[in-house]
Amino acid sequence: MQTFAETPAAERLSQIAARKLEIRKQLEGNGEVDLDKLQTELRGLDDEMKEIELREKRAALAKGINAGDIEGRKTSEFVPGGEVPNPAKEARKVAEERGKALKENRSVTVGSSNVIMPRHDASDIRPTFNEVSSLIDRVTHKPLQGGESFRQPYVTGYGTGDNTTEGNDYATAEPTFGYANINKSKVTAYAEDSEEVLKLPPADYDAEVMKGITIATRKKITREILVGDGNTNHLAGIFSAAATAIDSGTDLEIDVIDETTLDEIMYSFGGDEDVEDAAVLILNKKDLKAFATLYDDTGSKKIYDVKSNGNTGTINGVPFIINSACIAVTDPESETGDYAMAYGPLSNYMLTIFSDVDVQRSTDYKFKQGMIAHRSSIFVGGNVVSKNGFIRIKKK
């Protein structure tokens, strides 16, 4: 039959008593000790011992054992030397050892746990939502290192042959051409942080600052692809009058997203002989929601099958890209004539890269203040380079 001294509770009480003896030896030694830490540990051990004894006492009572027997055992069976553990006595002993150590000029570490609660910082930084439309990566890229401007020719149309009688001139059927002018635009971003941010925190804030200025540059360019006005130091955006390849008369106007909207956009784009494929719809997330939540008259079946994958997806198989530079037709605050969407092959927009992205860090600018400067710059240009390469959708 197993005796009380052989139970797991008894084994733990013995471990607690042994640890308390180790703490006393540390207090009586001549080395540096953290009295606050040892005192906290002693309180924890006392609390655990009381909890075990109370639990064993209740178990004994439940089995009909005399509780006094349990109380008698706890002082003699588990404490080396037979000494009764006393929390008040232990606290007084710690205080006496602290005073003795100070009087002997020994090194004593006073913890901060009794003064202020410590703050613990993570070693990583959690990201936020995506802020850059993938439109910037899907258009045509043309590297022109060191360039200043670029002119891209495109066909605007072909002539039509005619019937000619003998001896008369042949019918004139020359193709016509247009030119898209792309001029240099300098896009920059700048940020500062301190050397403390670089050297002290466990999380790599400095790397996030460097990453952030690159993201800021991409955010600006992807917006300019749509809304750049084409003036000096700006891209010619798809919605801009500077996108001369697009005839404004081809713009489509809608005032609501209904069951015919997608078909209206698709069949309004392109020439008279084809229904174009491989085209992409660029729109605001609010309008995408309107497509996704449109039901038939019964209210039981969705009109459009919307499949999302982050910044991209499909509507009834038609690819889309979300870009917040588009206004939303469904937004009550949008105004008549605002451009809301664009539809067409993304290869019809050309982004010329006149320089690589130059990202630099410097400690010279505010050396005295210990500030670190980060900057990013790139020279780019952009324009629509195909005749009516996109159909633009306005709010009616």
Side-chain angles (χ1 to χ4, degrees):
M1 180 177 180
Q2 185 184 39
T3 64
F4 180 68
E6 296 172 340
T7 63
E11 181 180 355
R12 178 57 185 155
L13 285 172
S14 179
Q15 293 172 355
I16 292 173
R19 174 57 184 154
K20 294 177 74 171
L21 285 178
E22 291 178 3
I23 294 175
R24 292 196 190 100
K25 291 179 181 179
Q26 292 182 37
L27 294 173
E28 293 170 357
N30 295 322
E32 181 179 336
V33 292
D34 188 338
L35 294 179
D36 280 343
K37 183 178 180 181
L38 294 178
Q39 186 177 20
T40 300
E41 186 177 358
L42 279 174
R43 287 197 297 267
L45 293 172
D46 288 332
D47 291 342
E48 185 179 356
M49 180 175 284
K50 288 180 181 179
E51 183 180 348
I52 293 174
E53 291 170 352
L54 181 60
R55 186 168 62 245
E56 293 299 324
K57 181 178 179 181
R58 289 173 178 172
L61 291 174
K63 295 179 180 179
I65 300 174
N66 187 352
D69 293 340
I70 300 297
E71 299 233 357
R73 292 175 192 170
K74 72 181 180 181
T75 62
S76 59
E77 292 186 14
F78 317 114
V79 180
E83 184 177 350
V84 178
N86 187 315
K89 183 178 178 181
E90 298 290 351
R92 286 196 301 272
K93 187 172 183 62
V94 169
E96 291 172 0
E97 293 295 338
R98 183 195 296 273
K100 181 180 178 182
L102 291 174
K103 189 173 182 181
E104 295 175 356
N105 292 323
R106 286 165 51 195
S107 176
V108 178
T109 301
V110 180
S112 62
S113 58
N114 294 330
V115 180
I116 186 170
M117 294 301 291
R119 185 187 72 182
H120 301 282
D121 289 325
S123 59
D124 62 340
I125 301 174
R126 300 298 299 166
T128 185
F129 297 108
N130 174 45
E131 296 185 1
V132 182
S133 172
S134 60
L135 180 62
I136 186 175
D137 300 313
R138 301 276 296 276
V139 298
T140 298
H141 292 183
K142 190 174 186 66
L144 295 169
Q145 297 294 318
E148 185 75 20
S149 62
F150 177 72
R151 188 169 76 155
Q152 175 66 53
Y154 57 84
V155 176
T156 62
Y158 296 98
T160 303
D162 200 359
N163 299 322
T164 304
T165 58
E166 184 179 356
N168 291 323
D169 293 340
Y170 279 49
T172 300
E174 296 176 351
T176 56
F177 301 93
Y179 297 91
N181 293 311
I182 302 177
N183 297 312
K184 179 183 68 177
S185 172
K186 183 179 181 181
V187 181
T188 64
Y190 179 83
E192 293 179 359
D193 59 24
S194 66
E195 61 181 346
E196 286 80 5
V197 168
L198 175 63
K199 299 176 181 178
L200 300 182
D204 196 353
Y205 288 94
D206 185 70
E208 284 297 317
V209 173
M210 290 286 285
K211 175 183 174 182
I213 61 175
T214 301
I215 291 175
T217 302
R218 286 170 52 83
K219 282 173 64 175
K220 177 61 176 177
I221 295 174
T222 198
R223 289 183 61 86
E224 287 267 302
I225 290 173
L226 282 176
V227 299
D229 58 18
N231 292 332
T232 302
N233 209 35
H234 286 274
L235 277 65
I238 296 172
F239 294 153
S240 167
T244 55
I246 301 177
D247 296 331
S248 59
T250 63
D251 293 345
L252 179 65
E253 295 185 349
I254 63 173
D255 58 355
V256 66
I257 293 176
D258 56 25
E259 64 274 10
T260 66
T261 301
L262 188 59
D263 287 337
E264 186 71 23
I265 294 171
M266 289 178 58
Y267 292 110
S268 296
F269 173 68
D272 297 333
E273 307 296 337
D274 290 312
V275 176
E276 304 295 331
D277 60 2
V280 178
L281 181 65
I282 309 169
L283 76 170
N284 188 285
K285 184 178 178 180
K286 293 180 181 179
D287 282 348
L288 178 63
K289 178 182 177 181
F291 278 109
T293 57
L294 186 63
Y295 287 82
D296 61 11
D297 292 337
T298 66
S300 60
K301 183 179 180 181
K302 288 187 175 184
I303 299 294
Y304 296 103
D305 177 24
V306 177
K307 296 179 180 179
S308 300
N309 183 23
N311 183 244
T312 63
T314 59
I315 305 173
N316 285 3
V318 176
F320 72 79
I321 286 182
I322 299 171
N323 193 303
S324 60
C326 299
I327 67 99
V329 171
T330 54
D331 188 346
E333 296 184 2
S334 59
E335 300 180 359
T336 300
D338 285 345
Y339 283 112
M341 307 178 200
Y343 178 76
L346 298 182
S347 59
N348 288 345
Y349 190 93
M350 180 177 289
L351 185 67
T352 55
I353 313 299
F354 294 116
S355 77
D356 293 329
V357 179
D358 181 26
V359 181
Q360 297 185 21
R361 176 194 285 130
S362 173
T363 59
D364 297 333
Y365 173 50
K366 293 185 178 180
F367 183 81
K368 187 175 182 179
Q369 290 87 2
M371 298 298 292
I372 303 169
H374 308 265
R375 75 178 192 186
S376 168
S377 66
I378 185 174
F379 291 91
V380 295
N383 205 338
V384 177
V385 292
S386 295
K387 180 64 176 179
N388 290 328
F390 295 88
I391 184 171
R392 304 178 295 194
I393 296 90
K394 291 181 176 181
K395 180 160 183 175
K396 188 174 181 180

